[in-house]
Amino acid sequence: MDRIVVQGGQRLIGEVEVSGSKNAALPQMTAALLTDEPLTIRGMPDLVDVSTTKALLQTLGVKIEGAREMTLDASDVSSTEAPYDVVRRMRASILVLGPLVARFGHAKVSLPGGCAIGVRPINLHLAGLRSMGVKIDLEHGYVVAQGKPQGAKVVFDFPTVGGTENILMAATLAKGTTVIENAAREPEIVDLARLLSAMGAKIEGAGSEVITVEGVERLHGADWDLMPDRIETGTLMTAAAITRGNVLLRGARAGDLEAVVEKFKDAGVSIEPQTDGVRVSCVDRPRAVDLRTAPYPGFPTDMQAQFMALMTLAQGTSVITETIFENRFMHVPELRRLGAQIQIEGRSAVVRGVELPSGATVMATDLRASASLVLAGLAASGTTIVRRVYHLDRGYERIERKLASLGATIRREKE
Ligand code: UD1
C-alpha cells in the first residue's frame, strides 16, 4: 500500500492543469451502452474509478480502447449482469442499470450496499424506473429489472445525482416523453445531457429542476470532450489558499463551483477567472466562514472536507454543516491529530482556527477525507504522513505530482 509524505510550509506557486471530471466520466462511459456505434470521450482522467467502470463495461462485452481518448464500442453486448465483485468496489456501477434496461429490456445489477460515508440506498433510482413501467425485483442481493422503460412522470423525493443520471439515460430510448421533476442540477448532469444530445437524444431542461426527454428509436455514436473536474479544481484552490500561494488552474471553470468560490472570497482568498483558467491567491491568514452542504447549486458535499482543512487554520470559528451524507466527518479525528480544534455537534463541526497545524501520521478513510489530510499537511509544520492513499487514487489523478510541480515537498512511497 502507498502512503504520501508531505513536508509542510511551502507556498504553492505556478500553473497546473485540471483533469477531466471523474463524476462526469463515469455516467458518460455507461452511456456507451445505449448505442451500437462507437462513442469516443476525450480528456479522460487516469483514475481507479475509471478503470473500475472500464472493467465493469468489459465484463458486459463492451470493447474499450485508449485511455486519454477512450473509445467504447457496445455493438456486441454479451451480458446484462453487473456482478457483485465489481459493483462492491464502486457504487457508481449502478449507472449501468438505466442504459442496459433501456436498450435491452433487462438488467441484473448487484445492490451496491453501504459505504463509509453513509448508507446510500438506491431506492430513488428503482422508484423512478418503476414509474416508467420497468418491473423491479430484488433477488439474492441483485436488482433484477425487466421490460423496456416507457415515457412517464418521475418525481424524485430528493434531487439524487445518480438517480437523475440513470432515469435520464433510460428515458432517451423510452417510448414517449419522460418528465423528471426535482431533478439534480449538477454540472455533470448538464454535461451528460449534452453528450446524450450529441448521440441523438431529445432533452430539454438539464441543469434545471425539470428535465423533459422525448424518447427516440435509437442513439448513434459521438465524439465528445469531457468537462473539467470541479472538485479537483476546488481541491487545488484549497491547496493554493492553505499555503498562501498563487496558482493558475489551467482549464478550470469557476462557473461550475460558484458556491465554493463565494466561500473562498468570504474567507479572503482571491479567485479570478482568466481566459485560460482560474487564478487563486491568498496573502493573509484566511478568515473563518460558516457553510452548509446542499445539492447543486449549493456548497458541494464533495468539497466539505477540503474546506474544513482550510478552516482549521483560519482566524475565528467556523461552523460546517453536512446535510447530504450522514457520516461524512471521518476526517475530523485525523485533522485533530494534526492539531486542529474541532468539535462535532450532530451534523455540524465547529472548527476553531489555530495558528499552525503540526505534522503527524494520519489515516485516509475515504476519497475527499484523504484530500483534506494532504491539504492540511501542506500547511502543517514538520512532516505529515497520510496512509492508505488508495482512496485518493480513486478520484485524483496523481495529485502529489501536481502539488509537487507547484513547489510542494511531497512524495509517494510504499508502506
Ligand atoms: C454523486 C457523486 C458523489 C457526490 C454525490 C452528492 C458521482 C459518481 N458521485 O453520488 O461524488 O458526493 O453525488 O453530490 O457522481 N439517496 C437516497 N436514495 C437514492 C439515492 C440517493 O436516499 O436512491 C441519498 C443518498 O443516500 C445521499 C443523498 O441521497 O444521502 C445524495 O445521493 P446522490 O445524489 O444519489 O449521490 P450519488 O449519485 O451517489
Side-chain angles (χ1 to χ4, degrees):
M1 225 179 278
D2 290 357
R3 60 187 197 175
I4 283 182
V5 182
V6 194
Q7 199 73 43
Q10 311 291 332
R11 289 183 67 210
L12 298 195
I13 298 196
E15 295 185 10
V16 69
E17 183 91 28
V18 171
S19 297
S21 162
K22 166 176 94 75
N23 285 356
L26 307 183
Q28 293 185 13
M29 289 172 76
T30 69
L33 288 167
L34 290 164
T35 173
D36 59 2
E37 293 182 14
L39 167 65
T40 298
I41 308 173
R42 279 183 296 268
M44 287 289 281
D46 179 12
L47 302 171
V48 172
D49 276 6
V50 167
S51 309
T52 306
T53 307
K54 184 176 164 187
L56 171 60
L57 292 172
Q58 284 171 330
T59 63
L60 305 179
V62 181
K63 289 183 202 70
I64 302 180
E65 281 175 10
R68 252 329 140 212
E69 180 174 322
M70 184 182 279
T71 300
L72 304 99
D73 175 353
S75 56
D76 201 8
V77 169
S78 50
S79 159
T80 55
E81 178 174 333
Y84 170 75
D85 217 38
V86 190
V87 177
R88 74 176 169 81
R89 277 160 39 205
M90 191 191 58
R91 183 186 146 82
S93 309
I94 193 66
L95 293 170
V96 299
L97 181 61
L100 282 176
V101 80
R103 177 147 160 237
F104 303 103
H106 50 85
K108 189 172 166 187
V109 180
S110 174
L111 280 166
C115 75
I117 60 175
V119 184
R120 301 183 86 175
I122 54 160
N123 56 315
L124 303 173
H125 302 231
L126 302 186
L129 287 174
R130 281 197 179 108
S131 311
M132 299 178 81
V134 178
K135 185 169 170 286
I136 305 273
D137 293 303
L138 299 181
E139 291 173 7
H140 310 292
Y142 278 79
V143 177
V144 180
Q146 291 283 355
K148 288 209 172 183
Q150 309 289 317
K153 182 161 144 176
V154 174
V155 185
F156 283 123
D157 292 342
F158 179 86
T160 159
V161 175
T164 302
E165 290 165 345
N166 247 333
I167 299 304
L168 178 60
M169 289 191 279
T172 57
L173 293 178
K175 211 181 184 107
T177 302
T178 301
V179 179
I180 310 173
E181 291 187 6
N182 201 19
R185 293 186 275 165
E186 269 69 3
E188 292 78 11
I189 303 275
V190 177
D191 214 51
L192 174 63
R194 287 204 186 123
L195 165 65
L196 294 169
S197 302
M199 294 168 71
K202 294 196 171 146
I203 302 171
E204 273 176 30
S208 76
E209 281 167 24
V210 181
I211 305 178
T212 306
V213 188
E214 199 186 309
V216 295
E217 277 288 307
R218 59 183 299 273
L219 295 182
H220 50 73
D223 264 355
W224 184 248
D225 290 306
L226 190 63
M227 65 179 278
D229 196 304
R230 66 191 168 101
I231 304 302
E232 189 203 28
T233 300
T235 304
L236 292 169
M237 283 177 171
T238 316
I242 209 166
T243 62
R244 299 190 207 170
N246 187 328
V247 173
L248 176 68
L249 302 176
R250 267 187 279 115
R253 294 198 318 212
D256 288 343
L257 68 171
E258 277 176 11
V260 177
V261 166
E262 280 311 306
K263 290 296 171 187
F264 274 122
K265 287 185 175 167
D266 291 349
V269 179
S270 154
I271 310 258
E272 296 160 51
Q274 302 191 341
T275 44
D276 51 348
V278 180
R279 181 166 293 281
V280 187
S281 61
C282 182
V283 179
D284 300 319
R285 187 174 166 196
R287 290 187 292 272
V289 291
D290 296 342
L291 71 88
R292 188 181 178 84
T293 63
Y296 194 84
F299 191 97
T301 174
D302 285 352
M303 271 300 297
Q304 179 256 107
Q306 300 90 311
F307 207 87
M308 190 183 297
L310 181 66
M311 291 296 100
T312 62
L313 46 71
Q315 283 181 64
T317 298
S318 136
V319 179
I320 297 182
T321 306
E322 171 60 50
T323 75
I324 307 293
F325 292 111
E326 61 271 29
N327 187 24
R328 210 171 196 183
F329 281 144
M330 283 172 304
H331 42 287
V332 167
E334 301 302 305
L335 287 171
R336 279 200 200 119
R337 294 173 59 79
L338 298 172
Q341 304 252 331
I342 310 173
Q343 297 301 325
I344 295 182
E345 291 173 11
R347 292 206 136 194
S348 296
V350 181
V351 187
R352 199 159 299 132
V354 297
E355 193 84 38
L356 186 66
S358 57
T361 298
V362 290
M363 189 90 90
T365 48
D366 67 70
L367 172 53
R368 307 305 170 182
S370 317
S372 77
L373 299 174
V374 171
L375 292 168
L378 291 173
S381 63
T383 306
T384 297
I385 299 174
V386 184
R387 301 183 58 199
R388 287 203 189 160
V389 294
Y390 58 85
H391 292 289
L392 206 58
D393 297 331
R394 285 191 42 212
Y396 291 97
E397 184 170 298
R398 287 180 283 275
I399 193 158
E400 74 281 5
R401 285 198 214 163
K402 289 196 182 186
L403 294 171
S405 77
L406 297 171
T409 309
I410 183 169
R411 65 178 189 277
R412 176 185 291 255
E413 47 178 56
K414 294 262 172 254
E415 287 265 5

